[in-house]
Amino acid sequence: GLRQMTLVITALWLPLTLLTAAISWYAGGLILSPVKELVASAEQLSGSSEGQILTTSDRADFASLTQSLNELIGRVRMAASLQEQFASDAAHELRTPLAIMQARIETSLKRGRSVEEHVAAQAALLRQIQRLTGIVESLLLSARSQNSTETPRDFHETVAIAIEAWLDDHEDVRSRLKVTLSSAMVRMSQESADIIIRNLLDNAALYSPPNGLLEVTAEKAMRKVSLYVRDFGPGLSHREMQQAFDRFYRSDSGRSRSNGGAGIGLAVVKRIVESHG
């Protein structure tokens, strides 16, 4: 009986081993199939457009893992987008004060100057450096949406200072700028107001007809403050109004960046205003 059992076991050993191996291979394939799908999806994701996410056919064990990974990918994309947005916004906003500083330094070096003139020039440069610092801080606050910590201030005074700063570089517009401001308390830094006013007035002056009137109005209604910057230029079509505050959008596709801007200023204004509620 033992010999017969030995023969039977010996005869069945190879088929049983092969059967066990086949079952293990099949079961392992079923278990690892979602992992392979995730790997293939990740390979496509690495060279794809921004909107793609990880996918898997598994609806049990790997579904929650895939969702967690997609949420992580979304946060990474958002952080990268904010970093790129801040870099472009900063480059746009810093361009004007840097150009003013360069012009004043070049003017100062053209001829010999007295000590008093050098002191005045350095004081002017210091003001521009302070302005640069304020712009960077304002952009950082705007990107982080942490403006609620700002000290309340009179919007009338804040806007008036911003308009005067803009007029320092646009004296030819002073005579045709009409300003009507109402007093209201807001939580907004002077630098944020400077960015808003400068970009809106730059845009209005660019599209205003020669010697055309420009209007700035600030008024309070209930718990909100409205700021209007108006010109009497050609206006915008319905489609252009829908895209005016999109990044890199310029209403006239024929304009070059050298004379029409990069299409960032109004997008910066929109984000600052939205971050202040």
Side-chain angles (χ1 to χ4, degrees), residues 15 19 29 31 42-43 52 63 72 78 85 112 124 131 152 166 175-176 190 204 206 209 212 214 220 226-227 274:
L19 179 61
I31 295 173
E43 290 176 349
Q52 190 169 344
L72 175 62
M78 178 61 70
Q85 191 175 69
R131 180 183 175 188
W166 183 80
S175 60
R176 52 191 178 97
Q190 184 63 57
L206 179 64
L214 299 178
K220 182 180 180 181
S226 298
L227 175 68
E274 289 179 342

Side-chain angles (χ1 to χ4, degrees), residues 63-74:
S64 58
L65 173 62
T66 304
Q67 182 179 355
S68 298
L69 289 175
N70 283 329
E71 291 175 355
L72 175 62
I73 291 171

Side-chain angles (χ1 to χ4, degrees), residues 96 166 170 197-207:
T96 299
W166 183 80
H170 302 81
I197 290 295
R198 184 173 67 256
N199 279 292
L200 293 179
L201 282 177
D202 280 348
N203 193 72
L206 179 64
Y207 291 101

